[in-house]
Amino acid sequence: MPVFEQGYRPFEGELARRSPVPAAVWHNVRTRLRWWIWVLTAGLLMYPYVVWGVAVFLFTAGQALFGITPPGGMATVPRFAYESAGDPDPTKLLAMLTASSPRGALALYWTILEQASLAAIVLPAVACGGILASDRATGAMQIYFARPVTRFQYLLSKILTVSCFTALVTSLPTLFIWGETVAFHPDGDFLLRTWMAPLSIIGAGLFYALWSSSIVLALSSVLRRPALASICAIFGYFLLRYIGFLVSSSLDDKTWRLLDPHYALGGIVAPLFGLELPDWLATPWLPVPSLLVPLALLFFVWTRVRAVEVTT
Amino acid sequence: MQTAKSADTTQADRVRGPDGGYPPRPVETVSVLQLDKSFGDVRALRELTVDFPAGAVGLLGPNGAGKSTLLKILLGLLPADGGSASVLGRDVRRDPLEVRRVAGYMPEIDAYVPGLTGAESVVFCGVLCGLPRRIAQQRAHEILYYVGLAESRYRRVEQYSTGMRQRLRLAQALVHDPGLIFLDEPTNGLDPDGRDEVLALIEDLATNHGKSIVLCSHLLHDVEAVCEHVIVLREGAIALEGSVDEVRKLERGTFHVRISGDLEAFLGAAQRGGLSAERHDAEMLRVRVPDGAGAHEIFGAARAANCAVRSLSTVEQSLEGVFIRAVCDVKGGD
């Protein structure tokens, strides 16, 4: 007779007192990895990561293996963030790859990462739009709170879940490109020059994750329909981009571009990669709202979760 | 407050299942002392003091009696304004997580984690409670077989019927083998056969597997079928407490009597004769005679008041009658 047909059996061991957060995160991520999320992820990774990844390969391994010669007229390594457009300019890429200073290579990774701001919102919003809304709708919060899970642990598991999806299109592919560069770069000391790069990439990824998780969780905590939360997050991104562009153009003041999440997020993390901020971006108050706003949003989510926990 | 402490069943009898193979249950599973809770002007619990004995205990009460508030406080989800409570010896205020680890809870409302199969969701609950994943997987299959969901354990929970979800919630509450299980309306939405099966499971857990159960239900039949002890709450206080047998005895020696003549005179004569009489409706009286006395005492009182007894019938001994009286007493005897 199979063991499970022997009726109810007591558990002889001892219940562990480990944190339930990893189990909750794994479960949350796994149930969201549907086929269409993989398709969306693949689409979002095409640019900048696949394009830049191929370019890096061509200018490192390709040069040695196939004799590919880089285009002439090498550009200079950028000193400031947003010094030029972020398109994959081969001469700029070559300059950053062959720069002798660590800043040159670090600038390469910032250039790649800052172009992923749209993906950093789209994927978490689509994958996790219902992360709190569906828990409320299906009563899943009762399942958590009737077990040894605190509100902080519950919220942390949700933040980490959204962060995982953010990392899938920000820090993880950037780290992959760093690994690719290290593996194929002809200079043996490239690794020594760029040992800071993983830390910078992870730091920047955490910042992107903080923003994406706070926005997605806040929307998911107030909107009943997951799709609506996703649409609001993506629409909000484009709306802010448009407003930033409109105001800065009409007032002829580039500082207003900070309303654009693309510039705001990219500008905040640029110093991590050794880049200086241009005058219009170097506002002293920028770091304050960039941290306070997501924290305020997360506090709002905390109060929403508390209200549900009490009515559980 | 009416009290009917158990006399015929000792705690020692209750603490072991019939096979005697399970560890002894604690004498008291839940201990509540002077528990007080208010929501604004509404006082949900009024210095509630009660001990839940081991075994199956029915927690009854009308809407707003404080049952849900009590459960939330016992699970550490809601802080009490005053007083203290402990579950299986753990203080709910100081150690709410430990309480939730050693106790199981089956919520009343539909609660499932979307995107999981029945087996996965039971495993997930086990892991959250601290079971190693491998053991949680093994136990999930055992428990799902036990509650009758073996055939459908690989189906998505979203595809389950109401009855299946009810069983799944029971499985989720059981997977980590808790010593005490709080069941909130466990037979809601079940057909009669399904209800009987779930009640049989609960009874099996209490009698054969040494589990203590707190069954919160509006269905007195369920409590009567499963529980050894009953606690009735009303307006945040204990209205009635005792073993089911003892509570049923409260109805023993109770008669419905129809009188012709001066009703007030009969009530006076009954009181003088040691009977407890009250109006049941416009024409009917409810008369309780002391232990050892019988219907002849009622006839004696009628004679003394110059009244005639038109009809006399014994009141059926059921939990429902006692419950209704306990609840109505509080509402001013209406």
Side-chain angles (χ1 to χ4, degrees):
Chain A
M1 192 194 326
V3 68
F4 57 85
E5 290 182 16
Q6 292 170 13
Y8 188 91
R9 291 192 307 139
F11 170 56
E12 302 291 349
E14 199 158 308
L15 294 171
R17 275 153 184 80
R18 61 170 182 265
S19 168
V21 173
V25 172
W26 166 242
H27 147 76
N28 278 309
V29 170
R30 193 175 64 85
T31 52
R32 282 174 171 77
L33 287 176
R34 309 280 173 80
W35 66 268
W36 46 271
I37 288 292
W38 286 115
V39 171
L40 178 65
T41 307
L44 291 169
L45 288 176
M46 285 306 289
Y47 184 80
Y49 299 109
V50 174
V51 172
W52 280 86
V54 169
V56 165
F57 180 79
L58 290 176
F59 293 152
T60 51
Q63 210 172 345
L65 293 173
F66 314 113
I68 296 172
T69 50
M74 202 156 64
T76 52
V77 173
R79 184 179 157 201
F80 292 96
Y82 299 111
E83 202 170 86
S84 60
D87 296 331
D89 174 2
T91 56
K92 198 169 82 174
L93 173 63
L94 195 63
M96 289 187 284
L97 276 174
T98 53
S100 56
S101 68
R103 202 192 71 218
L106 286 175
L108 167 68
Y109 304 119
W110 176 82
T111 307
I112 298 170
L113 192 62
E114 70 90 21
Q115 291 172 55
S117 64
L118 175 62
I121 288 293
V122 170
L123 185 67
V126 172
C128 306
I131 196 164
L132 291 178
S134 62
D135 272 11
R136 278 187 300 147
T138 60
M141 279 190 183
Q142 287 223 2
I143 290 182
Y144 287 97
F145 294 137
R147 286 171 180 80
V149 180
T150 63
R151 199 183 324 140
F152 175 77
Q153 288 170 331
Y154 173 78
L155 196 55
L156 183 63
S157 73
K158 300 297 180 188
I159 292 170
L160 291 176
T161 302
V162 184
S163 300
C164 284
F165 284 98
T166 313
L168 209 57
V169 286
T170 54
S171 43
L172 286 180
T174 314
L175 281 172
F176 180 82
I177 290 182
W178 173 75
E180 180 196 5
T181 327
V182 169
F184 295 127
H185 203 281
D187 287 356
D189 64 342
F190 186 81
L191 176 61
L192 292 175
R193 284 213 312 267
T194 60
W195 66 271
M196 272 286 291
L199 299 176
S200 303
I201 293 166
I202 290 169
L206 286 176
F207 191 76
Y208 276 85
L210 177 69
W211 268 93
S212 61
S213 57
S214 63
I215 291 169
V216 170
L217 289 177
L219 288 170
S220 190
S221 71
V222 291
L223 298 169
R224 284 184 180 275
R225 288 179 172 273
L228 201 57
S230 309
I231 291 167
C232 283
I234 297 165
F235 179 76
Y237 176 88
F238 284 112
L239 184 69
L240 283 173
R241 283 213 79 165
Y242 180 68
I243 291 173
F245 169 76
L246 205 65
V247 176
S248 64
S249 304
S250 53
L251 297 179
D252 200 19
D253 182 357
K254 284 177 101 176
T255 309
W256 289 100
R257 278 195 176 178
L258 283 173
L259 289 173
D260 182 339
H262 172 78
Y263 287 108
L265 293 172
I268 284 287
V269 299
L272 289 175
F273 295 85
L275 289 166
E276 293 175 38
L277 294 179
D279 291 342
W280 58 271
L281 200 54
T283 46
W285 47 265
L286 183 59
V288 179
S290 68
L291 282 176
L292 282 186
V293 171
L295 290 178
L297 286 173
L298 288 175
F299 179 74
F300 170 72
V301 177
W302 170 275
T303 58
R304 295 281 300 172
V305 172
R306 183 180 184 278
V308 177
E309 183 192 3
V310 168
T311 55
T312 294
Chain B
M1 183 184 100
Q2 300 175 55
T3 306
K5 289 282 182 195
S6 170
D8 53 352
T9 314
T10 64
Q11 296 291 2
D13 293 328
R14 288 180 184 161
V15 294
R16 277 185 189 274
D19 58 356
Y22 292 92
R25 293 189 295 216
V27 174
E28 288 160 5
T29 53
V30 177
S31 190
V32 172
L33 184 65
Q34 300 276 310
L35 208 60
D36 214 69
K37 181 69 188 175
S38 296
F39 297 101
D41 295 335
V42 181
R43 216 166 156 201
L45 294 178
R46 297 163 185 268
E47 297 186 348
L48 185 72
T49 299
V50 64
D51 289 331
F52 288 58
V57 178
L59 184 61
L60 295 166
N63 288 336
K67 303 188 300 291
S68 299
T69 304
L70 179 59
L71 277 190
K72 282 178 204 165
I73 292 174
L74 292 178
L75 285 167
L77 297 172
L78 205 59
D81 294 340
S84 64
S86 67
V87 173
L88 296 174
R90 277 84 169 175
D91 190 302
V92 296
R93 195 191 292 257
R94 271 187 307 193
D95 210 353
L97 295 186
E98 193 57 27
V99 167
R100 286 181 239 164
R101 204 185 308 275
V102 295
Y105 174 59
M106 175 183 173
E108 178 188 1
I109 64 158
D110 202 12
Y112 64 94
V113 183
L116 295 184
T117 64
E120 287 170 340
S121 65
V122 177
V123 172
F124 181 55
C125 289
V127 172
L128 285 184
C129 288
L131 280 178
R133 182 168 288 275
R134 190 181 291 267
I135 292 174
Q137 284 169 340
Q138 185 188 338
R139 284 192 62 81
H141 291 281
E142 290 173 22
I143 300 290
L144 285 168
Y145 184 85
Y146 179 69
V147 301
L149 287 177
E151 299 291 321
S152 44
R153 61 189 190 270
Y154 295 119
R155 274 169 60 188
R156 282 276 185 87
V157 180
E158 289 93 324
Q159 299 165 0
Y160 277 19
S161 66
T162 308
M164 290 163 82
R165 285 186 192 176
Q166 201 82 331
R167 287 161 188 267
L168 181 73
R169 291 207 291 277
L170 182 59
Q172 289 172 337
L174 285 175
V175 65
H176 61 296
D177 193 31
L180 169 67
I181 310 157
F182 294 103
L183 303 173
D184 201 353
E185 307 284 357
T187 57
N188 257 7
L190 293 179
D191 57 46
D193 286 344
R195 204 174 114 190
D196 288 345
E197 284 170 20
V198 167
L199 288 176
L201 283 175
I202 296 169
E203 196 173 9
D204 181 55
L205 286 167
T207 55
N208 296 330
H209 298 289
K211 301 289 167 210
S212 289
I213 310 266
V214 174
L215 176 63
C216 193
S217 178
H218 287 97
L219 301 171
L220 297 171
H221 166 76
D222 291 1
V223 172
E224 212 165 1
V226 169
C227 297
E228 306 155 18
H229 198 90
V230 65
I231 293 168
V232 181
L233 287 184
R234 183 198 56 206
E235 294 178 2
I238 298 286
L240 177 69
E241 187 213 342
S243 77
V244 171
D245 288 341
E246 286 293 311
V247 168
R248 277 207 201 103
K249 279 181 191 167
L250 292 174
E251 290 285 89
R252 193 174 292 171
T254 306
F255 297 87
H256 281 154
V257 183
R258 187 167 292 165
I259 295 287
S260 67
D262 187 352
L263 216 58
E264 293 303 321
F266 175 79
L267 288 172
Q271 198 175 5
R272 284 193 296 277
L275 308 178
S276 160
E278 61 191 32
R279 286 177 190 272
H280 184 62
D281 55 36
E283 295 182 343
M284 193 81 82
L285 294 173
R286 185 185 182 93
V287 182
R288 183 152 196 267
V289 299
D291 287 346
H296 62 276
E297 308 285 342
I298 298 172
F299 286 106
R303 255 196 317 275
N306 277 331
C307 296
V309 176
R310 290 277 181 204
S311 72
L312 185 143
S313 58
T314 54
V315 173
E316 193 185 340
Q317 290 175 37
S318 72
L319 200 56
E320 189 173 355
V322 183
F323 173 76
I324 290 168
R325 281 181 63 204
V327 171
C328 288
D329 279 352
V330 189
K331 291 179 176 173
D334 50 347

